[in-house]
Amino acid sequence: CRKSVPTTPDVAFTSGGVNAFTATIGHLASAARTKWFDSWYDDVKEGRPHEHEGRFWSAETRTYRWHLARALPVRDASGTIVRWYGTATDIDDRKRAEEALRASEWHLRTLRSELETRVAKRTVELLRSNRTLRKEIDERRRIEAALRASEQRFATAFRASLDAISIASQPDIRI
């Protein structure tokens, strides 16, 4: 005898045999049925607790929704399985949130990678600019030093001269 007690968002059921739990298979998305069957029958054969995530048909929403199905064997004093207790918990919202999180993480990894690439490219550009600026600064320093030396030589020659030197600016006169 199979009893189903709907709860929100779970469905709990008990079964005197494995066939009642197996009846839920018709509600699984067709792509998952074989995997579920194999997993369920292996667990039943070994007497192990069963756990499976799959997309079950929801009559309420008329869509497939993710559920976590679990079943535990109940044994009598001699260890024989006399009943299975199980639940099917709607985890569709969690699955959607996990998928959204994965998509968001992928997007962030992509942005991070693009940012790192842009930073590396810009760093190379800045290093080149800094090298160019350092060369220009060094060249200006050499030119300024040469100019100061020239001015110093001119001043020394001017002061040592006995002749008066006059520099005049007369725009109308040609010398």
Side-chain angles (χ1 to χ4, degrees), residues 33-34 45 52 64 86 105 128:
R33 286 184 189 147
T34 302
K45 185 173 85 177
H52 178 81
Y64 283 100
E105 288 171 343
R128 284 184 189 140

Side-chain angles (χ1 to χ4, degrees), residues 56-120:
F56 287 82
W57 179 255
S58 168
E60 182 180 327
T61 63
R62 297 200 170 282
T63 61
Y64 283 100
R65 293 183 57 85
W66 281 98
H67 284 74
L68 172 61
R70 291 180 171 157
L72 295 172
V74 177
R75 301 175 190 274
D76 63 14
S78 67
T80 303
I81 296 173
V82 294
R83 180 173 297 278
W84 285 82
Y85 286 99
T87 61
T89 305
D90 185 328
I91 58 170
D92 198 73
D93 293 339
R94 185 193 85 196
K95 285 290 210 177
R96 290 176 192 268
E98 288 170 352
E99 180 56 36
L101 180 60
R102 277 190 296 277
S104 175
E105 288 171 343
W106 177 85
H107 183 68
L108 287 174
R109 279 192 303 276
T110 301
L111 289 176
R112 178 180 172 209
S113 176
E114 289 174 5
L115 180 60
E116 286 176 356
T117 300
R118 291 173 69 185
V119 166

Side-chain angles (χ1 to χ4, degrees), residues 105-146:
E105 288 171 343
W106 177 85
H107 183 68
L108 287 174
R109 279 192 303 276
T110 301
L111 289 176
R112 178 180 172 209
S113 176
E114 289 174 5
L115 180 60
E116 286 176 356
T117 300
R118 291 173 69 185
V119 166
K121 183 178 177 183
R122 186 68 179 134
T123 299
V124 169
E125 291 171 359
L126 288 172
L127 288 172
R128 284 184 189 140
S129 294
N130 282 340
R131 277 193 292 264
T132 301
L133 287 172
R134 282 189 194 113
K135 287 179 184 177
E136 289 177 8
I137 289 169
D138 290 345
E139 181 66 19
R140 286 182 183 194
R141 285 180 178 156
R142 281 191 295 276
I143 291 170
E144 287 173 359

